[in-house]
Amino acid sequence: MEQTKVYSSIPMRTWRWLGVNDARQPEGLPSEQEEQEIHVGKGEKEAVVVVYREARQGRGQLRAHVEAGGELKLVKIQLLPADMPHVDAVEVRVEEGARLHYTAIEAGSAHSATKLLVELAGDDSIADVAAIYFGDEQRAIDMNYVIRQQGRN
């Protein structure tokens, strides 16, 4: 499958010379992007499961905000057919004392690029990230996870 434009980049200049910083966006993606937003209020707890299973879901964008003291358990499952490319981006802002538990499962598409950006915006904010993926046969998976800690601890 031919590669096109850059989908995401690792923000580390020292790796650029290796040519591994950029995830290329695969050909054949749907033109429409499926967008979702999640908001967890102050002190609240939420559990959300997002499943990509159909061809129209080949391009996803999810934004979440976890307010102070809140907790979000987010599971993203990609089960697209092997011949369908997939890209998705997850952006989460985690405020003071809030928690994010994120699990990504890449079990479908033979060519996927996924990125996660977490902003630990407040003191004592926490991000717990796990990924499960299959890299068999001709499968190509590019995962770019960036966690920026702005608060203390």
Side-chain angles (χ1 to χ4, degrees):
M1 188 173 287
E2 187 177 319
Q3 307 283 322
T4 59
K5 65 181 181 175
V6 172
Y7 182 67
S8 66
S9 292
I10 299 172
M12 297 176 70
R13 290 183 300 223
T14 57
W15 287 49
R16 293 207 192 287
W17 66 274
L18 290 172
V20 298
N21 276 30
D22 299 330
R24 302 285 173 185
Q25 181 171 297
E27 291 284 335
L29 290 167
S31 58
E32 294 295 315
Q33 177 168 286
E34 182 172 298
E35 297 190 19
Q36 298 179 43
E37 291 198 18
I38 300 168
H39 182 264
V40 179
K42 188 174 184 176
E44 295 179 356
K45 292 184 179 184
E46 289 241 10
V48 178
V49 177
V50 176
V51 180
Y52 295 105
R53 183 184 310 256
E54 300 173 19
R56 66 178 173 75
Q57 297 175 307
R59 181 189 303 262
Q61 171 78 45
L62 187 143
R63 290 183 185 89
H65 182 208
V66 186
E67 290 188 19
E71 183 174 352
L72 174 60
K73 294 181 180 179
L74 177 59
V75 178
K76 184 204 72 167
I77 305 171
Q78 186 270 108
L79 297 171
L80 288 168
D83 63 344
M84 179 68 204
H86 177 75
V87 295
D88 72 85
V90 176
E91 299 174 11
V92 184
R93 182 172 177 86
V94 184
E95 301 292 347
E96 182 173 348
R99 296 173 175 257
L100 167 68
H101 304 280
Y102 176 78
T103 302
I105 301 169
E106 298 288 337
S109 174
H111 192 141
S112 68
T114 181
K115 57 185 172 179
L116 170 68
L117 173 61
V118 178
E119 296 282 344
L120 296 175
D123 293 352
D124 299 315
S125 54
I126 295 172
D128 176 25
V129 177
I132 300 167
Y133 58 91
F134 298 100
D136 58 341
E137 299 175 9
Q138 299 297 316
R139 194 176 306 265
I141 303 168
D142 201 324
M143 296 179 285
N144 179 355
Y145 292 179
V146 176
I147 300 176
R148 294 189 180 128
Q149 182 173 353
Q150 298 171 355
R152 295 185 196 164
N153 300 333

